[in-house]
Amino acid sequence: MDIRLSSGSVIPVEMHKVRIVQKTSLVPIARRLEAISNAGYNTFLLRTRDVFLDMLTDSGTNAMSDVQLAAMMVADDAYAGSESFYRLAEAVQEVLGFRHTIPVHQGRAAEHLLAKVFVKPGDVVLMNYHFTTTKAHMELAGATVSEIYTDEALNTQSGEPFRGNLAVQKFKEAIERYGPERIPFVRMEATTNLIGGQPFSLRNLREVREVAADYHIPLVLDGSLLSENAYFIKRREPGYADRSIREIILEMMSQVDILYLSGRKSTSVRGGLMATNSKEYYDRILAWLPVYEGFATYGGMSSKEIEAMAVGLREMTELDVAGAAPQFIEHFVGRLQGHGVPVVTPPGGLACHVDARRFLPHLPQREYPAGALAAAIYLTSGIRSMERGTISMDRDAEGHEVYADLELARLAVPRRVYTLSHIEYAVDRLTWLYRRRELVKGLRFVEEPKVLRFFFGRLEPLEDWGARLAEAFEADFGPLH
Ligand SMILES: Cc1ncc(COP(=O)(O)O)c(C=O)c1O
């Protein structure tokens, strides 16, 4: 909850108590240099023992509540007809308003099923912005992805509250251009992961829905950060300040034909979900569920996680839960801005995003500024962030680089995991790094997978800059921290 102090400043105060902790450690700079070198300058390949604050992602890393943990103890492990599933389906009906629930093992499993059921070669899937796994699944099914975002979407220094909006006029033009029969669905992502966790407005969702309905194009919503998007609607959209998160979520869902989500985020568990009111869509998806995921009542998820998801769905409608990460992120972004560090604005829903092109203006995109920045952040702080730039794009069919629209180092703020002193530490080390930014040079691939290369690719630093950055760090802070 944002609380105003007597000094006038506002801080995000945690509305929970810590009752179980996990030890973390801050290894010395020499070990960090060794670890990032062994990881091929790819933060995905670091081990937890070498990471101080894990800000790689909020996926599956949010802190669960005591009520969620308790629910896991009463899970029904029946292969078929599990009571845990029916408790989840009840929560889906109550919170999301959908009659049909399909559990899947995580978000990308839902994308796989969507591609399998709805997408054919030559199709064009329209979306407000792509996500890595979504794009991969649509392309593997022979379709292309077309993003129809607004002019403000890629402006990293924007004041526009809903940069995740889909450009409605461009949507109409795309339907005219491709023909509705080639558009299996339009996908809205709440919140748009790759452009800074930016939300869309309810007004925009309604407009998209109207156009889609005119052409009988289903509206699919990726609700991985559904409660955060609802939080931003409450805070930023005129007319919603007095509406509860629960009411806003239900209003959003009333516009949607199929919802899917990675339950690893808003619901703080490890699983995924699809939901719809269309019996036809449900039947078509269900037919493939046992082939790829599991029986209808577990869909590849552990029944313990299904129980926790049912609780997580209800908990995410609480203002203090939906707002926990956005408020920390806003504070994080504001503090970095105060030190002149180039961050993405307005603050979004999943992370503090640092704009690598403005942080490292001396690096061309072909030297992967966002990847270099993520590695440099690890070296100077022990904080693991994620590259969200050109490394996160795969090469095209001819082997040419596809340059990302934005080059971002993403410092995710998993819900209820870190404290304000952790954020203050991150602010300090990022500020130090910004002052020494000229020491950071580019990266080049030494091992480069063809699909989703950011996960397992290995790179090396040009001009051995990692060692020089480590030396500068040690000169200022000593060998230990
Ligand atoms: C917007 C969005 N969609 C889909 C996914 C894929 O979900 P999962 O990681 O559970 O497979 C993610 C994961 O981060 C995501 O952020």
Side-chain angles (χ1 to χ4, degrees), residues 323-341:
Q327 287 168 9
F328 257 58
I329 291 162
E330 188 177 349
H331 181 83
F332 198 171
V333 166
R335 295 279 291 120
L336 284 171
Q337 269 185 311
H339 291 286
V341 178

Side-chain angles (χ1 to χ4, degrees), residues 205-426:
L205 184 66
R206 253 191 254 105
E207 288 170 351
V208 172
R209 163 66 177 196
E210 248 170 56
V211 176
D214 283 348
Y215 293 91
H216 305 289
I217 296 171
L219 195 158
V220 171
L221 190 130
D222 177 341
S224 298
L225 281 181
L226 180 57
S227 59
E228 282 75 3
N229 203 117
Y231 174 82
F232 287 121
I233 288 171
K234 182 176 172 66
R235 287 285 180 251
R236 298 178 183 175
E237 186 160 353
Y240 287 93
D242 296 330
R243 306 282 294 280
S244 68
I245 298 291
R246 191 176 270 253
E247 287 169 332
I248 293 171
I249 287 177
L250 271 177
E251 193 173 331
M252 289 169 81
M253 293 305 103
S254 70
Q255 305 300 310
V256 169
D257 294 302
I258 300 174
L259 167 80
Y260 80 90
L261 53 83
S262 167
R264 301 171 63 88
K265 293 169 160 255
S266 276
T267 66
S268 299
V269 297
R270 287 136 298 264
L273 179 79
M274 301 178 83
T276 180
N277 276 329
S278 158
K279 178 81 166 67
E280 184 212 326
Y281 294 152
Y282 172 70
D283 286 342
R284 287 171 66 191
I285 297 167
L286 188 68
W288 288 103
L289 194 69
V291 180
Y292 292 112
E293 297 294 306
F295 189 72
T297 53
Y298 77 94
M301 276 176 78
S302 118
S303 50
K304 289 189 171 51
E305 301 282 348
I306 290 178
E307 289 283 0
M309 185 184 260
V311 176
L313 275 173
R314 293 192 174 101
E315 287 184 345
M316 77 180 191
T317 66
E318 293 168 25
L319 185 58
D320 286 334
V321 176
Q327 287 168 9
F328 257 58
I329 291 162
E330 188 177 349
H331 181 83
F332 198 171
V333 166
R335 295 279 291 120
L336 284 171
Q337 269 185 311
H339 291 286
V341 178
V343 279
V344 172
T345 59
L350 85 122
C352 167
H353 292 81
V354 184
D355 185 341
R357 268 200 284 214
R358 286 194 287 133
F359 199 109
L360 302 172
H362 51 287
L363 294 193
Q365 260 189 303
R366 65 173 183 281
E367 293 180 5
Y368 309 126
L373 183 55
I377 289 171
Y378 171 71
L379 267 172
T380 52
S381 64
I383 297 173
R384 169 153 79 159
S385 62
M386 188 192 290
E387 191 271 2
R388 292 279 80 156
T390 296
I391 296 177
S392 295
M393 304 290 289
D394 291 333
R395 287 178 192 267
D396 66 15
E398 284 77 46
H400 300 124
E401 282 286 8
V402 178
Y403 291 111
D405 291 324
L406 300 178
E407 295 286 341
L408 308 176
R410 176 183 103 177
L411 294 116
V413 179
R415 187 188 284 168
R416 303 181 293 214
V417 173
Y418 295 121
T419 62
L420 267 195
S421 70
H422 289 133
I423 302 293
E424 286 301 312
Y425 168 81

Side-chain angles (χ1 to χ4, degrees), residues 59 106-108 111 131 133 189 193 222 224 262 264-265:
S59 174
Q106 61 184 88
R108 68 201 68 187
E111 291 165 345
F131 182 66
T133 55
E189 184 176 306
N193 188 324
D222 177 341
S224 298
S262 167
R264 301 171 63 88
K265 293 169 160 255

Side-chain angles (χ1 to χ4, degrees), residues 52-311:
F52 174 40
L53 306 180
D54 196 354
M55 296 186 159
L56 184 78
T57 177
D58 59 342
S59 174
T61 57
N62 293 332
M64 296 174 76
S65 72
D66 49 358
V67 185
Q68 285 183 292
L69 281 173
M72 289 175 106
M73 296 300 112
V74 293
D76 173 9
D77 279 328
Y79 184 97
S82 163
E83 290 301 328
S84 301
F85 168 78
Y86 291 103
R87 283 191 274 273
L88 174 64
E90 236 174 71
V92 168
Q93 174 82 64
E94 178 190 314
V95 175
L96 304 170
F98 293 116
R99 284 190 296 281
H100 305 293
T101 297
I102 302 174
V104 289
H105 82 270
Q106 61 184 88
R108 68 201 68 187
E111 291 165 345
H112 179 209
L113 290 169
L114 281 173
K116 185 83 197 157
V117 171
F118 293 96
V119 180
K120 57 183 187 319
D123 280 356
V124 184
V125 183
L126 304 177
M127 38 186 89
N128 53 349
Y129 207 78
H130 81 276
F131 182 66
T132 52
T133 55
T134 329
K135 190 164 188 276
H137 277 295
M138 301 309 134
E139 290 179 352
L140 286 169
T144 48
V145 163
S146 177
E147 293 153 321
I148 35 181
Y149 45 77
T150 62
D151 293 341
E152 268 301 289
L154 304 183
N155 177 3
T156 57
Q157 293 170 283
S158 177
E160 160 61 44
F162 292 108
R163 279 176 46 218
N165 279 355
L166 184 138
V168 178
Q169 184 53 31
K170 287 188 203 162
F171 182 29
K172 291 180 189 159
E173 288 161 13
I175 298 171
E176 294 297 317
R177 187 160 58 249
Y178 302 117
E181 64 291 343
R182 281 181 65 201
I183 303 171
F185 55 82
V186 57
R187 170 181 171 276
M188 292 291 279
E189 184 176 306
T191 59
T192 43
N193 188 324
L194 297 187
I195 55 173
Q198 300 295 318
F200 55 76
S201 67
L202 239 165
R203 180 178 172 182
N204 184 250
L205 184 66
R206 253 191 254 105
E207 288 170 351
V208 172
R209 163 66 177 196
E210 248 170 56
V211 176
D214 283 348
Y215 293 91
H216 305 289
I217 296 171
L219 195 158
V220 171
L221 190 130
D222 177 341
S224 298
L225 281 181
L226 180 57
S227 59
E228 282 75 3
N229 203 117
Y231 174 82
F232 287 121
I233 288 171
K234 182 176 172 66
R235 287 285 180 251
R236 298 178 183 175
E237 186 160 353
Y240 287 93
D242 296 330
R243 306 282 294 280
S244 68
I245 298 291
R246 191 176 270 253
E247 287 169 332
I248 293 171
I249 287 177
L250 271 177
E251 193 173 331
M252 289 169 81
M253 293 305 103
S254 70
Q255 305 300 310
V256 169
D257 294 302
I258 300 174
L259 167 80
Y260 80 90
L261 53 83
S262 167
R264 301 171 63 88
K265 293 169 160 255
S266 276
T267 66
S268 299
V269 297
R270 287 136 298 264
L273 179 79
M274 301 178 83
T276 180
N277 276 329
S278 158
K279 178 81 166 67
E280 184 212 326
Y281 294 152
Y282 172 70
D283 286 342
R284 287 171 66 191
I285 297 167
L286 188 68
W288 288 103
L289 194 69
V291 180
Y292 292 112
E293 297 294 306
F295 189 72
T297 53
Y298 77 94
M301 276 176 78
S302 118
S303 50
K304 289 189 171 51
E305 301 282 348
I306 290 178
E307 289 283 0
M309 185 184 260
V311 176

